[in-house]
Structure formats: structure tokens, C-alpha cells
Amino acid sequence: MRVLVACEFSGTVRDAFDALGHDAWSCDLLPSEKWGHHFHGDVLTVLDQEWDLMIAHPPCTHLAVSGARWFKGKEKEQEEALSFVEALWTTKIHLVAIENPISIISTKSMLGKPTQIIQPWQFGHGETKATCLWLKGLPKLIPTDIVDGRKPRVHHASPGPDRWKERSRTLPGIAAAMAQQWGGL
């Protein structure tokens, strides 16, 4: 499959698909942290290529309800963020997954409620972080390794300039499940 992982600088999801033999590419405004196929730039410029599957991780800065206390005065930024999410959703790519935390995507976009909400502890990581998936043409992810240890590591991340990077990473167990379960469609 040709797989596009939108808004990913870590290469985690891209590499999970690559490990299974797929032609997987990440795309982000940031350079990739790891060597691999990566478009450095705006993902909207590569959507018209021939992709079989897109997994998108749009920035949640102006979308996540965890930041609701900062929403006032940022209506324009929210509108732009929602327009970006909808542009990803309405692409001609037939298999699409949009990933984001609990957010206003559910209430203020054409996507509506998420198809599924997953947790890292369902995929081998002993922590909590509710992650919404909006799925088009894809089945729900089936948990692969339910573990104990439900710590909110991401919620308690230390303050700092790179805190957002650590909070936005897809964990390897979730990436592997995506590749294994969606890579054969």
C-alpha cells in the first residue's frame, strides 16, 4: 500500500507500515526525527498523489478540549484548524483515519463524533491518554495488548518548550496495531 502519515515528525507510524513492506511516507512542517520517506512541508500539497491510506494527526493546539480555557479570542485559529481537519477528511483518499484527543472536532466539524476512542493501555503501554479516531473506510482498531499501570504520563509531562512534542507522539504499540490491522486492506 501507499501510505501517507500526515502531520507526523516522529516517523513512528510511518516506520510501522514501512516495517511491513508498505510504501509509507510521513509529512510535516517539521523535518522528520528519523531517517525515512518524509515530505517536509504542507501536507495539503501532497494529498493529490496516489495514496491508498492516510493516517492524519492534525495539530490539536486549537482543537483539544484540554486547552478550552485558552479558546477565548482564538476563534479564527479554531476555524482554521477545523478547516484543515475537514480538508484532510474530504480528500480523495478512500481509507482515512484522523487522530486527535478529545476535541471540538466532535461538535464543530462535519466529522461529528469519533468512530472510536482508544487508550495506550489497550496496546501495551501502561498509561492513559484518550485518543479519538475518526475512520473512513477503515475498521475500528482491535486492542492488541491490554496491560496494567494506568498512569497519565502525558498529562503530567514536565513544562518546557518541547512538551507539545512529547504529548503528540503516537506510541509504538498503537502504530504497530494500525499497520498490522489496516495495512492489509
Side-chain angles (χ1 to χ4, degrees):
M1 291 179 88
R2 288 207 70 221
V3 180
L4 174 62
V5 185
C7 311
E8 181 188 55
F9 61 86
S10 70
T12 305
V13 177
R14 176 201 65 207
D15 292 351
F17 278 89
D18 185 64
L20 295 179
H22 297 285
D23 181 15
W25 290 75
S26 55
C27 182
D28 200 276
L29 296 174
L30 296 174
S32 181
E33 291 181 336
K34 300 181 209 168
W35 183 89
H37 296 298
H38 183 75
F39 294 108
H40 182 193
D42 184 349
V43 70
L44 298 178
T45 66
V46 299
L47 288 180
D48 62 349
Q49 295 186 20
E50 295 298 318
W51 303 107
D52 299 306
L53 166 65
M54 176 179 64
I55 299 169
H57 310 277
C60 65
T61 306
H62 303 296
L63 300 171
V65 296
S66 60
R69 65 180 170 230
W70 292 289
F71 282 175
K72 186 171 171 50
K74 296 202 173 188
E75 292 81 8
K76 182 178 181 215
E77 290 88 342
Q78 277 188 336
E79 272 184 44
E80 290 170 354
L82 289 167
S83 291
F84 179 66
V85 168
E86 290 178 350
L88 295 171
W89 186 252
T90 58
T91 181
K92 68 177 183 174
I93 302 167
H94 297 291
L95 304 174
V96 176
I98 304 241
E99 175 274 338
N100 228 250
I102 305 293
S103 70
I104 62 170
I105 294 172
S106 300
T107 56
K108 295 190 174 186
S109 80
M110 67 171 27
L111 281 67
K113 293 187 184 286
T115 310
Q116 177 179 23
I117 299 175
I118 60 171
Q119 291 278 353
W121 54 262
Q122 296 173 305
F123 300 91
H125 303 281
E127 58 189 80
T128 60
K129 181 186 176 193
T131 303
C132 298
L133 298 174
W134 287 264
L135 305 175
K136 181 167 62 170
L138 294 168
K140 292 180 180 179
L141 279 182
I142 299 167
T144 56
D145 184 12
I146 295 176
V147 298
D148 294 328
R150 313 273 166 83
K151 299 183 183 194
R153 177 191 63 86
V154 170
H155 179 71
H156 292 146
S158 299
D162 289 334
R163 183 176 193 241
W164 69 271
K165 275 187 171 183
E166 293 310 311
R167 291 175 59 102
S168 70
R169 292 181 192 280
T170 301
L171 295 170
I174 295 171
M178 289 174 171
Q180 291 163 359
Q181 295 178 37
W182 295 339
L185 300 175

